[in-house]
Amino acid sequence: RTRVRSIMSFISFCCVFGGITFVVWMGARSVLAGEIKPLIGSLTARLADKSLPDGARAQAAANLLGVRSQDAGAIPAVAKLLGPDHSPGLQRLIVEALGNVPDAAAGQALVAAYPKLAAEPQEAAFAQIIKRPDSSAGLMKAIQAGAIDGRTFSPSATFRLKTHPDKNVAKL
């Protein structure tokens, strides 16, 4: 019975935040700004709640990223989950969520977190980073600056960078 209530609470939570994301996307954010702010706070709290399963925290991250136009701290808050204090599974889910965000700040967050990631999410981050020219260039600059050790890339990753469709990235 307790598990059913927990599941129903989670489903209700997801529906509410999915609706808020839709409202923000539709442009009604100024009308509902007062109602959205506390919900953003709740999402941010769920990100930090280590008692929640990885899937619930990743869903909170995706929802928070969906309302990032209302909260400039959304991308940095989500990016905090990309580190050794969090499970590789959660890191991979967060990498995917950030990879789906078209903002350059999301790509920059992936590049900044890259050296701190475990092996599996690092591969996922690489795949997300090289999808976009701006984050690909950021990755190459981080390698040149010594923030990321380029020698740790697999031969296939190195090849993908050298043959990147953006010639500016390929020549770096």
Side-chain angles (χ1 to χ4, degrees), residues 11 78 118 144:
I11 290 170
V78 170
Q144 291 172 336

Side-chain angles (χ1 to χ4, degrees), residues 4 19 23 44 51 74 83-84 97 99 105-106 109 113 116 118 120 126 130 133 135 138 140-141 155 158 160:
V4 170
V23 166
T44 304
S51 69
K116 299 181 280 185
E120 179 193 346
F126 181 82
I130 65 166
S135 56
M140 297 306 292
K141 289 176 183 171
T158 303
R160 288 175 74 185

Side-chain angles (χ1 to χ4, degrees), residues 38-125:
L39 296 174
I40 289 172
S42 177
L43 284 172
T44 304
R46 290 180 69 85
L47 291 179
D49 187 350
K50 291 186 178 187
S51 69
L52 291 174
D54 288 351
R57 293 173 77 194
Q59 184 62 53
N63 289 334
L64 186 59
L65 291 170
V67 294
R68 67 191 176 281
S69 65
Q70 293 296 297
D71 182 17
I75 291 175
V78 170
K80 286 181 183 176
L81 299 176
L82 297 174
D85 296 342
H86 305 285
S87 73
L90 177 60
Q91 290 178 35
R92 184 183 47 74
L93 293 169
I94 298 302
V95 163
E96 290 171 8
L98 284 168
N100 289 327
V101 174
D103 296 357
Q108 293 166 356
L110 289 172
V111 171
Y114 187 86
K116 299 181 280 185
L117 295 171
E120 179 193 346
Q122 204 173 54
E123 289 177 27

